[in-house]
Amino acid sequence: MNGRSVLDECKIAVVGATGAVGLEVLSILAGRGVPSTHVISLASERSAGTKLAYGRDQVIVKAVSAEAFDGVEYAIFAADGSTSTRWAAVAVQRGVTVIDNSSAFRMADGVPLVVPEINGGVLDGDAGKAQIIANPNCSTILLLLALEPLRAAFGVCEIVVSTYQAVSGAGIAAMDELREQTRDVLAGKAAQPKVFTEPCAFNLFSHDSSVDVETGQNGEETKIIAETRKIWNDAEVRVIPTCVRVPVLRAHTQAVTVRLGRAAIGEEVGDAMSRGVGLRVMDDRQGNRFPTPAKASGADEVLVGRIRAAEPIATGATTDRFCLLLSGDQLRKGAALNAVQIAEYVESRRNAAVAN
Ligand SMILES: NC(=O)c1ccc[n+]([C@@H]2O[C@H](COP(=O)([O-])OP(=O)(O)OC[C@H]3O[C@@H](n4cnc5c(N)ncnc54)[C@H](OP(=O)(O)O)[C@@H]3O)[C@@H](O)[C@H]2O)c1
């Protein structure tokens, strides 16, 4: 146990508890001191009866059902979109506030899409009511958290981002695939793709989401663009992503070029980044040490470095284009941690309303 949470007294269901994100949700709740007796672990029939580690305790997985949501205050959904579509409304009808990691509801009118450090305020008016709250796409969360200090200080008009995404973004089966293919290739055998269509060991490839034949954008790129505009409530911001899967188990990396709303000197941008919430600046130019997925794995903060003017400028001169490199654990801040923080945000607003 490494902390306390406002959720200590709440009953919390985790749907998809056996998956890559669900296991991380359990680890975060246990780490925040939520007792195992308050946690309902749900998954498909396949996993019913499975025992999962929960801090020093264990929880036993049940198949998801309507009755499983009775008495539950928060349900964190970490399964596929069809499971969310089937069960989220059932949970809300039983008085549960649902925080959904899938893309099923993110762009739906009336469904808040939330990174608490950026737009938690959209929940303030409705904090008391059972509703569906969407957790954004992992790449979007990491990108916008890193850019928030620049948006707050200077405004942001345009983002060009190239992603280097870990295989765990495609779930536990994809992590197994990278391990298995790595062993096979090192043993001189051919990689056998199952989850991905391309080999993932010793390779990289354009993101595995489907490509729109008209626009050429893949699904991940489309999500980053649309979700950025919804979270920032800014229909004008230009977002130009290229998403790539790399042979890394965990934590996504992004190379970002941003055009600010006004020109700034490098020191101002560095100062703004150092004040960013949920960020750790790692920018050792002398030592050539910057964010990596290995350093970001298991960390709650998004690591940010290589902060520089897009083209070299004289000391004290201004420009509106800056670059940076970030790495963030997409299973934590990109999914499980952000979902838990949304529940904490809502619960703290409810507690404040009761206190008043
Ligand atoms: N991985 C990431 O980095 C990431 C980041 C942000 C958002 N997300 C989203 O989070 C969700 C979970 O992703 P993941 O990577 O954790 O996937 P995963 O490792 O494949 O886990 C999927 C989970 O869903 C459960 N499930 C599947 N079918 C079900 C059903 N019919 N009823 C109930 N539970 C069912 C599975 O349970 P069984 O073990 O019983 O099959 C498992 O617990 C997805 O919507 C994904 O898009 C993932």
Side-chain angles (χ1 to χ4, degrees), residues 235-278:
E236 303 298 317
V237 63
R238 292 185 75 199
V239 187
I240 306 168
T242 303
C243 293
V244 171
R245 192 74 77 183
V246 296
V248 164
L249 270 179
R250 184 171 171 147
H252 293 349
T253 297
Q254 300 178 2
V256 186
T257 301
V258 61
R259 188 154 71 82
L260 304 177
R262 72 164 173 86
I265 62 172
E267 288 75 8
E268 284 181 285
V269 167
D271 287 350
M273 294 304 295
S274 67
R275 290 192 301 274
V277 179

Side-chain angles (χ1 to χ4, degrees), residues 16-21 43-44 46-47 64 78-80 83 101-102 106 138 168-169 171-172 330-331 334-335:
T18 53
V21 175
S44 75
R46 293 180 291 275
S47 305
V64 63
D80 55 301
T83 301
N101 276 286
S102 84
R106 288 183 193 147
C138 47
S168 54
I172 273 194
Q330 97 289 348
L331 292 175

Side-chain angles (χ1 to χ4, degrees), residues 48-134:
T50 304
K51 291 182 179 153
L52 300 174
Y54 186 87
R56 292 194 191 129
D57 299 336
Q58 283 187 330
V59 287
I60 299 176
V61 176
K62 292 189 216 156
V64 63
S65 66
E67 296 70 35
F69 295 108
D70 286 343
V72 166
E73 274 118 333
Y74 297 95
I76 297 179
F77 276 62
D80 55 301
S82 60
T83 301
S84 296
T85 304
R86 178 166 176 207
W87 292 108
V90 173
V92 171
Q93 272 165 8
R94 289 180 179 241
V96 180
T97 293
V98 168
I99 297 136
D100 183 35
N101 276 286
S102 84
S103 57
F105 303 106
R106 288 183 193 147
M107 297 310 298
D109 285 344
V111 173
L113 181 66
V114 178
V115 182
E117 299 90 333
I118 299 174
N119 67 335
V122 298
L123 297 171
D124 288 351
D126 287 333
K129 89 171 190 207
Q131 60 175 325
I132 298 171
I133 302 167

